[in-house]
Amino acid sequence: MSVHCREKLLLLYRRYQSYVTKNPAATAQLEGTVRTLSYLIAGRFADSHELSELVYSASNLLVLLNDGILRKGLCRSLPMSLSQQKLLMWLTVLEYVEVFTEMGAAKLYGERCRWVVIILIQLAKAVLRILLLFWYKAGIQTSPPVSPLDRETQLGCKENEDKDEVPSEEPAFVGQRCGRVMRSLSSIPSFQSRHWGAPQHDNPPRRPEEELLQPPTHLGLQETIAESLFIARPLVHLLGLGVCGSRSWKPWIISGILDITNLSLMRDTKRLNRRERAEMRRRAFLLLYYLLRSPFYDRYSQTRIMFLLRLLADYVPGVGLVARPLLDYLPVWQKVYFYNWG
């Protein structure tokens, strides 16, 4: 019986693989619909926040699954060993489900179980990141670890490769007497990518997937220390909360010092690739989250942010559609550890 069910599931998965490969646009619409549904559910009824986060996590996992199927179909595997790919995949799954896991644990089993789940997830993420940094030399680790596939670019490149395999006419005609170069009708590109010069034969532009699949930058001692501080910061913050309590300033200050030290040691970003530079900009932007993290939020930011949102909602036309849901969601957002500190 189990073998029969397994065969049915395998057949169903193969059919799904074929559908995703042949219909990437419809797949993207399905993913967008699921994600939009998660936004519409939030705040509509009791337990809607947990259900909304479940649907949102499911949409991220769906994107991860479909990207893996499309990468296989496009022969665009990640430039790393299979074991490293598995570690990155597990780390990505943890990041996608951590918020829902925390909310579900708190809802079903209470605060103590919630903190146990938070500690276990942060420990698992730290172990995976340490393995990637020191064993696989993965360099600066981005969030999410497995970036979503740029489907428009990748599928466009695949179509161009298929066209290149088909023999075509000469891209240009050269007049015998005047020597004038004229483009042939078969070589005219799409309207958006046309230019009015002569056809270019030398120095073709770099393909987008070549930039995205660049190997990680080798980290020196200073950069390795900085990345280690980034990995250790969540565990240090949790330890500070356990020792000093959630109302103490010490965990907040120590965590901020570690984040600023990480960015200071990584200040030379010229030799980093594009994804790594984007990750460093993301980390710098996340410093603003300290305005929304307790105890700073409880003592200074809360009243000012609430006053500003109410002012915008009441006196600026149209802004209330965004500001009022934010006013309702901020208290929920503050109670979830991974929203603030994940």
Side-chain angles (χ1 to χ4, degrees), residues 144-174:
V146 178
S147 299
L149 182 69
D150 187 353
R151 299 180 186 179
E152 184 177 354
T153 300
Q154 297 290 340
L155 293 172
C157 292
K158 181 67 175 177
E159 291 176 359
N160 292 336
E161 289 175 1
D162 295 339
K163 290 179 181 178
D164 292 340
E165 294 175 359
V166 179
S168 59
E169 300 177 6
E170 291 296 322
F173 170 77
V174 182

Side-chain angles (χ1 to χ4, degrees), residues 43 86 168 212 297:
K86 289 182 178 179
S168 59
L212 293 173
Y297 176 80

Side-chain angles (χ1 to χ4, degrees), residues 231-250:
I231 295 171
R233 195 270 301 163
L235 298 179
V236 172
H237 179 257
L238 284 173
L239 180 62
L241 288 178
V243 173
C244 304
S246 59
R247 296 193 177 186
S248 174
W249 282 91
K250 292 179 181 178

Side-chain angles (χ1 to χ4, degrees), residues 207-250:
R207 291 183 175 182
E209 74 269 18
E210 292 177 0
E211 297 179 356
L212 293 173
L213 299 180
Q214 287 180 348
T217 304
H218 175 73
L219 300 182
L221 178 60
Q222 178 175 310
E223 291 83 4
T224 303
I225 293 174
E227 194 65 16
S228 301
L229 291 176
F230 174 76
I231 295 171
R233 195 270 301 163
L235 298 179
V236 172
H237 179 257
L238 284 173
L239 180 62
L241 288 178
V243 173
C244 304
S246 59
R247 296 193 177 186
S248 174
W249 282 91
K250 292 179 181 178

